[in-house]
Structures are given as structure tokens and as C-alpha cells.
Amino acid sequence: MKKIVIVGGVAGGASAAARLRRLDEEAQIIVFERSGYVSYANCGLPYYVGGVIEDKKQLTLQTPRSFWNRFRVDIRVKHNVLSIDRANKTVRVQNLETGVEYEESYDKLILSPGAKPVIPGLPGVDSDKLFTLRTVEDSLRIREYVENEKPKSAVVVGGGFIGVETAENLREMGLDVTIVQRPKQVLKPLDRDMAAFVHAEIRKNGIHLMLNKDVEGFKNLHGQIYTMIKADEAVPSDMVIFAIGITPENTLALEAGLELGDRGGIVVDEHMLTSDPDIYAVGDAVQVRHFTGGYDTLIPLAGPANKQGRIAADNICGLDSRYNGSQGSAIVKVFSLTAASTGINESEAAYAGIEYEKLVLSPASHAGYYPGGKVLTMKLLYAKDDLRILGAQIVGYEGVDKRIDVLATAIRCGMKAPQLKELELCYAPPYSSAKDPVNFAGYMAENIELGLVKQFHWQDVAKLPRDGSVTLLDTRTPMEYAGGCAPDFINIPVDELAERVGELDKNKPVYVMCQSGLRSYVACRFLAQKGFDCYNFSGGYRFYNSAVSEMKMTERTWPCGMDKK
């Protein structure tokens, strides 16, 4: 009878245990979990803190008793694995309730220790007003503090998924919330121009956003905790949530001499096997290959962890199951807004040394003639050499999830960007358009690759010459133009262009902008066929204004022909 020991539950370990039992009814399976919960909804923790999830039992997916009843798996919670003896194939375990230590043998070992919050050694981090949010126990502690102490303000240090979700939930409870973030944006998987929409939503809902700020420490003073900011004033609050990121929980692997990657993740092969032939590793603690970027990285997400647990179990039971890499598909709710991404963004493409093309579009979530449609902002990256899709980002209020899932599937299937036009997606007026936004992305990629349109981007606008050698053209309506435009762009509405084309000089390149990129594309096709060298602005004025306003740290729209002084 085979004996498998699993260190850690939650997504990876619990998934492995259940799969092992489905494949082998005779195996002895033991799971050691350091916390009091073996399988819980990690991603739901911020929503329990905020009271959206009212009952803590809803966070628990399986208990030791339910696991035993269904799978006959021996779950031992509040048991900490102290060390691994690879030569004798045993682990040293401590029962955290009794303090008793003992050894447990194994035939195969699966490590699923997860990750731990990053807590720098800053002054004051031991304050009882400072919290992390990683486990059920963490969320219980925060919620108890909120209910008992009735805090009126909070600082969230870190603007990743957990930080943003926690800030939103605390704000919804009525707290005055500040997010302090070292990078210049929240949500690292997004490019900064796409994150600008998220920043605007955060500020619109009353959260103070302090970007590009370094936290130097904390002080308890006058009944509050002060977050000390480098080169800025300290921020007083009644509590602090530390959410600057996580790091692989690799102590066991390190001390056992298993191979680790540059960022501390446990190195595994496609079978989830470590450098020891009898030890597998899964979940947030492992280093994976990025599916589109091709580089080794850490992608701590529940979906990949579940798949990896299943794959490790398959291989232990004799199946040839392989993990082909993670692409980091993720989505987050930010008040009324939804932001999602899959694959790599611009900075990651540059890191990987991949030459790429990008396009931005702003389609409606469903047919324009059906009430209630909302604008989506979509960004697509694809490789210049073979046109394979590298990544996508979408921000909007409706229909974000289904489009990002289509694009994630297209990436996994190796589709080329122009092929998106061929996808036959469901259409009814309340849900989409006959040409879905994903199809539009394919049409745009095809037009670019056929040379039917040339692009310029928001970063290029400030670099365009203002000496009269080029024409800067805005093709929106006079009312739209009067509401704000890019500096020095003249206005000729697209519907007047045929009659007024004589006002333009064919010897000058024309850079064309509209609200979303569609009318400017129509204008560019007309002008190109009239002999003009024409460039279409990717994303439209709405995208330009959002990105540039964020760079200036203001949401104000400046009058035409002017810039912030």
C-alpha cells in the first residue's frame, strides 16, 4: 500500500489529496496543515472582512471530517511539519495544540506550503494595530478588531489584488481608507495606462491613493498607528493592513536541500517533481514557466495551484500528466469596475525580449441600440514575428470576464491575433454585438498586418512636432472637441472630412484621433486613399485623457491647445 504525505492543504494540497483518492482507493493519504483550516476560499477573505460574506463557515470548502467521510483522507490540522529527512523518507511533525513532536514516514511527499506575507523589518511592525491577510485566522482577527474597536480609518500598504480588495471592503464599511503603494500604479499585471482607469475608480469612491511612496515604519501615537512615509507626512489611522505581496514558503525545501529558483520558488519539472525523485511540489511555493513569456516566474493563483495538485497526484499514480506553464489569468472587482488580464503586459514582454505590437480599443459591452451598454477598454499584445497573442487586459463595467476568458483560451490554443476575427461568439443584443469586441481586436490586428492602418500611441503625442511639419487632426464632433482634446489637434469631424479634405496638406503626415479609435480609423482609410500618409491613434481620446491625466496625478481635462503648467 502506497503512503503519500502532503504538507499543506488549501488549493494545491487539498486538490492533490482528492485526486489521489479518486485514482487509488488503497493508498494511505495524510495531509498536515499548519492552520486550523485545510480547505478554504483564500480569495474570499477580503469579502469576509467587509461583511459581504457574513458567515465564516462559508469560507470553508472542506473540513477534516468531511474530507474523511468522502475520501478517507487523514487530515491533521494545526500540525506543523518541521523538517524533511530525505534519506530516510520521513518528516518531523509537531502537533501545535499539544506540542508533541513525532516522525511520519512517506513513500511519496507533496509539498504545498503556499506563501507567506512579505513583512519587511520596519520599525513598529509588531503593533497590535497592524494586520496581514493571508489565512482564515487573519481574516477572523481583522473582522473581530473592526467589530470590537470600531475603527474609523485604515491604511492599506500595497496595491495588489488583496490590497485593493481589502481597501474596497473597508471603504464600503464606512472607513476612511488610504492605499500606500511603492510602484506608480496598483495591480501590477496591468500596464500603467490601463491601471489609470482603476486609479480613477478608487479615487472616485473616496479612497486616498498614495503612489510611488516608500513606507519607512510605524508608530503608535495618541491611540492611533502612524504610517511613516519617506519624504512625506505620516498618515495616521486606526489600523493598518500590510499587503505588499507574498513570498514562497520555502523553508522546508531549502533545509532539505531541494533546488530553488532565483526568486525562492521550489524548482519543479512539468510533472511537478522536485530535484528529489520522491518529492513533488505545487501551488504558490513553486517556480513555474510563464506560458507566453517563456521565463521562470512565480504566479500565486488558485487556478494553477489546483491544476498542479491534480497533476502531481496523476504522476504519483502512474499517469503521464504535465503542467505546461501559467499565463496568470486574473480578474478583480474594484467597486463598480472590473479589471482583468491574461498573459504578459508590455513591461513583461520587454523583460522577455519579445518584440510586440499592441492595440487598444473601446467597444461597447453589447449592442449600442440595446439600453445599458457600457464601454470596455481592451488592450491586446501580440508578437511581431509570428503574430501569436501574448497578452490582454480589459477594464470595464460589464462583460469583462467573458472577453478575457475568450482571449485566455485563444492564448492557450496558440491563436494568432488576426484569427480572433474568425471566432463565432454568441450574440444577442443584451449580451454582445454581431461583431464582438474580441472580433474587433482581430480585425484591428489584421488591418495593421495588412498595412491598411498605421498606429501611434498616447506616449507618442507629446513627441510629435509642433512646427507645422505634420497635421494633428481630431475627427470628433465640435461638442466633444470643446470638452477637451489633445494639445494642438485641430478639429474636422469625420462626417465633414470629404468636403473639407482640401484644408489638409498632402505633403504632411496626418495623425488622427477620435473618441475611441473607430472614427479616426475611418478617416485614415479615406485619407490614405486620397494620398495622405496617415496614422490612427490607438485607443482614442478617452484612453489618451485617462493615461495622461494619471501621469499628471490629476483627473482634470485641460482645454484644447493647452497643457498643465
Side-chain angles (χ1 to χ4, degrees), residues 185-198 328 330 338-349 356 358-363 376-381 389-396 400 403-405 407-408 411 441 543:
Q185 68 169 82
V186 300
L187 303 181
K188 184 180 177 182
L190 300 180
D191 286 315
R192 195 178 173 199
D193 47 21
M194 295 294 287
F197 293 102
V198 179
T338 301
S341 65
T342 186
I344 56 177
N345 59 25
E346 289 196 64
S347 61
E348 291 163 335
Y356 64 91
K358 61 182 176 181
L359 56 88
V360 180
L361 60 158
S362 301
L376 296 167
T377 302
M378 298 175 58
K379 185 174 189 178
L380 188 80
L381 272 64
I389 305 169
L390 298 171
Q393 303 161 51
I394 309 178
V395 178
V400 172
R403 272 67 184 226
I404 205 71
D405 283 342
L407 291 166
I411 289 173
F543 186 71

Side-chain angles (χ1 to χ4, degrees), residues 35-346:
S35 75
Y37 302 85
V38 65
S39 180
Y40 58 88
N42 210 314
C43 297
L45 298 182
Y47 299 98
Y48 175 72
V49 169
V52 177
I53 299 172
E54 297 180 356
D55 188 349
K56 66 181 180 182
K57 293 180 181 178
Q58 293 177 290
L59 295 172
T60 305
L61 305 178
Q62 292 280 358
T63 65
R65 179 179 292 275
S66 68
F67 233 107
W68 175 259
N69 290 341
R70 178 167 295 183
F71 298 112
R72 290 299 189 264
V73 171
D74 182 2
I75 304 289
R76 303 180 193 178
V77 296
K78 297 185 179 178
H79 278 65
N80 185 33
V81 176
L82 303 172
S83 62
I84 302 169
D85 183 341
R86 291 169 55 191
N88 294 306
K89 296 178 69 171
T90 62
V91 292
R92 186 78 181 168
V93 186
Q94 182 182 42
N95 184 324
L96 296 177
E97 292 185 310
T98 66
V100 173
E101 295 185 14
Y102 62 96
E103 286 187 347
E104 193 73 53
S105 64
Y106 65 84
D107 295 314
K108 298 294 181 181
L109 179 65
I110 300 177
L111 299 180
S112 180
K116 56 188 175 183
V118 174
I119 306 177
L122 298 174
V125 293
D126 57 348
S127 170
D128 60 0
K129 297 180 185 297
L130 191 149
F131 305 84
T132 60
L133 183 56
R134 181 65 181 169
T135 66
V136 172
E137 286 89 348
D138 291 337
S139 66
L140 296 178
R141 180 172 169 241
I142 296 171
R143 179 138 166 194
E144 181 181 9
Y145 182 86
V146 170
E147 290 176 346
N148 294 339
E149 302 299 326
K150 303 291 189 297
K152 293 182 172 56
S153 58
V155 167
V156 177
V157 181
F161 291 106
I162 294 296
V164 168
E165 289 172 337
T166 302
E168 175 190 350
N169 277 276
L170 292 173
R171 181 61 186 152
E172 295 281 25
M173 295 175 71
L175 276 70
D176 183 24
V177 180
T178 300
I179 296 176
V180 182
Q181 170 81 329
R182 173 180 287 176
K184 295 179 180 179
Q185 68 169 82
V186 300
L187 303 181
K188 184 180 177 182
L190 300 180
D191 286 315
R192 195 178 173 199
D193 47 21
M194 295 294 287
F197 293 102
V198 179
H199 295 170
E201 183 74 8
I202 289 172
R203 293 187 181 110
K204 185 177 77 174
N205 283 276
I207 292 179
H208 313 290
L209 198 52
M210 299 183 68
L211 302 173
N212 199 26
K213 300 291 183 181
D214 280 323
V215 173
E216 294 189 313
F218 306 90
K219 287 184 180 179
N220 286 329
L221 193 64
H222 309 306
Q224 290 188 305
I225 180 170
Y226 279 68
T227 301
M228 315 304 291
I229 311 293
K230 184 177 181 180
D232 211 326
E233 294 183 6
V235 181
S237 64
D238 297 321
M239 64 185 300
V240 169
I241 308 291
F242 221 92
I244 65 171
I246 55 177
T247 187
E249 182 60 88
N250 62 11
T251 304
L252 277 176
L254 177 64
E255 293 178 351
L258 298 178
E259 183 182 355
L260 302 180
D262 292 341
R263 298 175 60 187
I266 303 170
V267 173
V268 293
D269 66 10
E270 59 189 352
H271 300 292
M272 306 311 299
L273 188 64
T274 70
S275 52
D276 185 303
D278 294 312
I279 302 177
Y280 294 78
V282 302
D284 294 356
V286 304
Q287 174 180 284
V288 297
R289 174 72 65 171
H290 199 291
F291 183 76
T292 54
Y295 50 82
D296 293 329
T297 188
L298 304 173
I299 300 182
L301 294 170
N306 272 287
K307 294 177 181 67
Q308 292 160 10
R310 179 187 176 95
I311 288 167
D314 284 354
N315 286 287
I316 287 173
C317 294
L319 300 179
D320 183 14
S321 189
R322 304 176 184 227
Y323 191 70
N324 294 317
S326 297
Q327 63 193 71
S329 300
I331 191 167
V332 62
K333 171 185 173 295
V334 187
F335 296 99
S336 298
L337 196 70
T338 301
S341 65
T342 186
I344 56 177
N345 59 25
E346 289 196 64

